[in-house]
Amino acid sequence: MTEINKVKEKLKNTLSETDVMEMTRNFNDVRELMTYYQCAIMEVETKFRVLNERFKLSIERNPIDSITSRLKSLDSIVQKLERKKLPMTVEAIEQNLFDVAGIRIICSFVDDIYMLADCLVSQDDIKLVRVKDYIKNPKENGYRSLHLIVEVPIFLENGKRSVKVEVQLRTIAMEFWANLEHQLRYKKNLSLQLLRSTSRELSECARISAALDMRMQSVRDIINGK
Ligand code: 0O2
């Protein structure tokens, strides 16, 4: 089955005839756009790898534990456009969906998150578009992470283009928590009672994990003589 037919099959109950026609018409342009997002991921990922290497010299350790990246799937893009009542065009994607290209940076310590974010946004080819600091202001459910939307230039055979990338920076503890919470969100067969008690338990885990991050940071500061 071709890529477009897979998307149509997946979303057959949610898309109107007009949506499907529009999507088919713009499909090749959207595929080309996806290659730009893939290039932007490579650019930003390299920037973080370079920073990690540099800090290995200056602070004698790697501030980054791991880096992952993902390109939003075509069906998720179509669903998000549909949810936001936007047309299925390249322009609508570029102007409204900021998380098509996503990079996640996992650190051991909270202060490394802010240090790396500062280093990234101070680079003169990076434009900071938006910051959501769910570490200083955690979400109601306990979710913590620093989210940046940045615009990065990519250099193509026929010129330069600016592309938006979502960067999520979090600690190992925040990642551990978010992965479990994500699983709960997609669990459909739990009773309301079990869902409520598990959400409460997860909230408590978020509180404990935030406290652990602070204590680990303090221990490291003592070790480093701060
Ligand atoms: P996926 O599969 O991770 O991409 P916007 O994109 O701006 O329209 P929003 O909600 O304002 O949407 O963006 P925000 O708050 O910056 O967060 C979007 C992403 O952060 C989510 O992507 C998740 O990856 C993560 N996230 C935000 N809140 C939570 C949370 O409560 N729990 C967990 N586990 N992750 C969260 P997507 O699109 O949900 O999915």
Side-chain angles (χ1 to χ4, degrees), residues 70 72 76 80 83-84 96-100 102 104 130-132 134 139-149 166 168 170 174-175 177-183 185-186:
R70 71 102 183 89
K72 207 173 184 70
S76 301
K80 195 160 185 177
R83 239 187 356 260
K84 290 180 175 246
N96 301 282
L97 304 195
F98 298 165
D99 65 341
V100 177
R104 190 170 290 159
R130 190 180 83 186
V131 182
K132 280 192 190 171
Y134 295 121
K139 284 180 67 174
E140 188 98 352
N141 60 3
Y143 176 77
R144 293 180 305 134
S145 213
L146 178 66
H147 293 189
L148 310 176
I149 307 290
E166 182 190 63
Q168 297 183 349
R170 51 175 80 152
M174 293 174 197
E175 169 78 347
W177 183 93
N179 285 342
L180 197 58
E181 195 271 348
H182 190 261
Q183 286 175 33
R185 219 190 284 187
Y186 289 97

Side-chain angles (χ1 to χ4, degrees), residues 81-93:
L81 288 172
E82 173 92 349
R83 239 187 356 260
K84 290 180 175 246
K85 307 216 175 325
L86 290 166
M88 290 181 202
T89 61
V90 164
E91 293 71 34
I93 296 172

